[in-house]
Amino acid sequence: MSRKVLKLTALPLMQTRKRVAAYARVSSGKDKMLHSLAAQVEYYRNLIQHHPEWEYSGVYADEAYTGTKGDRPEFTQLLSACRAGKLDMILTKSISRFARNTVTLLETIRELKTLGVDVFFEEQNLHSASADGELMLTILASYAQEESRSVSENCKWRIRNELKKGNPMCGILMYGYDYQDGKLIINPQEAEIVRMIYADYLSGMGKNAIMRKLEKLGIPTKQGGRWATNTVVSILTNEKLIGDMCLQKYYVTDHLTKRKKKNDGVLPQFYVEGSHEGIINRETFEAVRAEMSRRSQKYKHIVTKPEGSEFTGLITCGRCGAHFRRKINACGTKYAKPTWTCMTYSYRGKEFCQAKRIPEDILKQKCTEVMGLPTYDPDLLKETVSSITVPDDGILVFTFHNGSERTVTWENRSRRESWTPAMREVARVATTRRQMNG
């Protein structure tokens, strides 16, 4: 039987199209910049869709984000798409549009290389996947970063030059005022609230009490959010409310992170008297400052929580979701007993959360019980317990690092049982003193 040999012709391989996306960015939200961004998006959409070997995979565009930062939302989504294996190539206008920070650029490019994603920079006509791509990128990115630093220094010089003249360089968001045409104009409705806050504080109300009053009255903050103690403090201490203006309270640390830091004498500050119409007279403002200082001296010895407590950040309120904080109520006396209380209850009152306080000694006792130890061990607690939830009064839910849970109950000892004779004597003296003063 004769053998028959057939020649098989290989079928041509199907060419797969590259999945291509583009990245665009402008560092300002001005109309001119946004128009430029829209033009870039349209340009890249047409470029990719009309290329026969490319598959359009979108255009990622960040507006009003600087290139020195890596936490740009669209840029982050672009990297996520690469990590998910959805892209083969990225188009961008230039190195400075992609990143002005040399370290960020090189780290990103190296990661994309390992993912098999090429980046093409149009202005430099450079592919990151090419043999000399990283060397050229390092050199060019250094120039881009230096250019960013130079622009930043020029901006700082211009801003500080204007501050020396007493001119603020940006819009001011201040409760009681509206910012119009570079000036602070009194907002009549908000001004009345400011006067009420000052009057309440001088009448003896605390910052928390004022905050709760504003919440009960349904008065919104400047941006429509909820009031906080710090917001009340900022109103009680801001010199703008008497018609003055302190400039350069904060400064930008560097052009890469853009992080703001409180100016504690690093740079000169400029105080402008009578820069605008005041809401509060100077006598009232100084009276509030004196009262704040008096209260601070009175309560400065009270300890609220120790640094590095093993329970800090561990206990969560099941009612409102806030953490519990350590508190000592007996004005720092040697008889004071620490408790852990919900921060919402502590700062906003029982109208917002009615969670019961937990004595620290009972908390430690229950931790010892659930871990099956003869004595309390804070180090072992950190290693074993990942969180403690308080869904209701008298209930503790322990969640362990291995994923298991255990629920225990607790009951507060009666006040009569927990007080020693010495504690009763201190309370008796304090009561007598209050009656004499009252």
Side-chain angles (χ1 to χ4, degrees):
M1 182 177 180
S2 60
R3 290 189 304 165
K4 184 184 290 186
V5 179
L6 299 176
K7 183 180 179 181
L8 300 176
T9 306
L11 294 173
L13 293 173
M14 292 287 293
Q15 289 188 346
T16 57
R17 296 195 300 169
K18 281 187 178 181
R19 298 163 297 176
V20 181
Y23 177 73
R25 177 186 63 81
V26 292
S27 56
S28 170
K30 294 180 180 179
D31 291 341
K32 186 176 180 181
M33 286 290 191
L34 294 180
H35 177 74
S36 169
L37 183 63
Q40 290 182 56
V41 172
E42 185 63 24
Y43 163 75
Y44 282 119
R45 181 185 294 116
N46 290 330
L47 177 66
I48 298 172
Q49 288 179 341
H50 288 83
H51 197 291
E53 297 179 0
W54 291 350
E55 178 184 318
Y56 177 70
S57 299
V59 178
Y60 297 81
D62 281 310
E63 60 183 61
Y65 280 90
T66 174
T68 53
K69 291 187 176 181
D71 56 350
R72 294 162 273 164
E74 289 287 304
F75 187 75
T76 302
Q77 287 189 27
L78 173 66
L79 295 182
S80 296
C82 294
R83 291 167 186 146
K86 297 178 180 179
L87 296 177
D88 299 311
M89 188 166 75
I90 300 169
L91 305 181
T92 190
K93 183 180 178 182
S94 65
I95 290 172
S96 63
R97 293 296 90 192
F98 199 70
R100 285 185 184 271
N101 185 333
T102 306
V103 174
T104 300
L105 175 72
L106 293 178
E107 286 179 349
T108 305
I109 291 299
R110 286 167 183 168
E111 181 186 359
L112 293 177
K113 266 189 175 182
T114 62
L115 296 171
V117 179
D118 180 26
V119 183
F120 179 66
F121 303 93
E122 286 191 300
E123 278 190 7
Q124 291 80 21
N125 191 27
L126 180 66
H127 283 274
S128 63
S130 62
D132 56 352
E134 184 167 326
L135 174 62
M136 291 300 298
L137 283 170
T138 304
I139 297 170
L140 295 171
S142 298
Y143 279 112
Q145 182 170 314
E146 181 59 25
E147 180 189 4
S148 174
R149 188 198 64 79
S150 177
V151 170
S152 176
E153 291 301 319
N154 289 337
C155 288
K156 286 179 183 177
W157 178 87
R158 178 174 58 85
I159 290 170
R160 288 168 188 168
N161 198 41
E162 288 297 319
L163 293 179
K164 289 178 184 177
K165 301 175 185 177
N167 301 324
M169 287 301 296
C170 59
I172 299 172
L173 191 67
M174 179 69 208
Y175 194 87
Y177 291 96
D178 294 323
Y179 191 74
Q180 298 174 2
D181 301 324
K183 296 180 180 179
L184 285 173
I185 309 298
I186 290 179
N187 181 310
Q189 290 77 25
E190 293 180 358
E192 285 302 312
I193 304 301
V194 169
R195 296 186 186 103
M196 180 187 75
I197 291 172
Y198 272 73
D200 285 343
Y201 190 78
L202 289 176
S203 70
M205 288 182 68
K207 295 166 286 189
N208 278 351
I210 294 173
M211 176 195 70
R212 293 170 190 168
K213 178 180 177 179
L214 294 168
E215 291 276 4
K216 286 180 181 178
L217 293 174
I219 298 169
T221 62
K222 189 71 175 177
Q223 294 180 298
R226 294 176 63 178
W227 287 90
T229 306
N230 289 341
T231 312
V232 175
V233 172
S234 69
I235 290 175
L236 290 170
T237 57
N238 201 310
E239 79 290 340
K240 295 181 182 67
L241 293 168
I242 59 173
D244 296 349
M245 193 178 294
C246 183
L247 303 176
Q248 200 157 254
K249 291 180 180 179
Y250 295 85
Y251 67 97
V252 177
T253 54
D254 60 79
H255 71 289
L256 294 177
T257 63
K258 308 289 184 185
R259 187 179 293 112
K260 278 190 176 183
K261 191 175 182 180
K262 189 176 181 180
N263 185 7
D264 293 322
V266 176
L267 296 172
Q269 293 184 342
F270 306 96
Y271 196 90
V272 184
E273 293 186 355
S275 62
H276 55 279
E277 186 180 357
I279 296 174
I280 302 297
N281 60 56
R282 294 180 186 274
E283 292 76 16
T284 302
F285 188 77
E286 291 301 325
V288 166
R289 288 184 64 179
E291 177 62 13
M292 287 185 118
S293 177
R294 186 191 71 80
R295 295 186 193 183
S296 175
Q297 290 297 317
K298 181 179 178 181
Y299 297 110
K300 69 178 182 179
H301 57 285
I302 297 179
V303 179
T304 55
K305 70 173 184 179
E307 289 295 325
S309 169
E310 65 272 23
F311 293 116
T312 301
L314 189 69
I315 312 170
T316 305
C317 179
R319 293 175 174 176
C320 68
H323 284 300
F324 274 55
R325 64 187 284 261
R326 193 175 193 258
K327 193 170 184 180
I328 300 178
N329 284 327
C331 299
T333 69
K334 63 181 180 179
Y335 305 112
K337 289 198 172 183
T339 60
W340 286 82
T341 181
C342 170
M343 292 181 72
T344 302
Y345 174 87
S346 180
Y347 289 114
R348 295 186 177 275
K350 62 182 179 181
E351 295 87 355
F352 295 90
C353 186
Q354 298 182 359
K356 190 176 181 180
R357 294 178 183 179
I358 309 172
E360 189 174 272
D361 57 346
I362 291 179
L363 190 58
K364 290 181 177 180
Q365 176 190 332
K366 291 300 172 181
C367 289
T368 306
E369 178 185 315
V370 298
M371 290 189 294
L373 300 174
T375 57
Y376 177 69
D377 187 336
D379 293 328
L380 192 58
L381 175 70
K382 294 178 182 179
E383 296 175 6
T384 309
V385 178
S386 61
S387 67
I388 303 173
T389 307
V390 186
D392 206 346
D393 294 338
I395 301 174
L396 299 174
V397 180
F398 287 79
T399 302
F400 300 92
H401 287 299
N402 61 10
S404 63
E405 287 187 356
R406 184 175 173 187
T407 302
V408 296
T409 60
W410 65 274
E411 186 176 354
N412 204 351
R413 293 187 298 272
S414 70
R415 198 172 184 179
R416 181 174 298 176
E417 291 176 357
S418 61
W419 278 39
T420 65
M423 293 168 67
R424 290 194 185 94
E425 178 61 20
V426 170
R428 186 191 66 76
V429 172
T431 302
T432 304
R433 188 178 298 141
R434 281 197 301 270
Q435 290 172 348
M436 293 175 63
N437 293 336

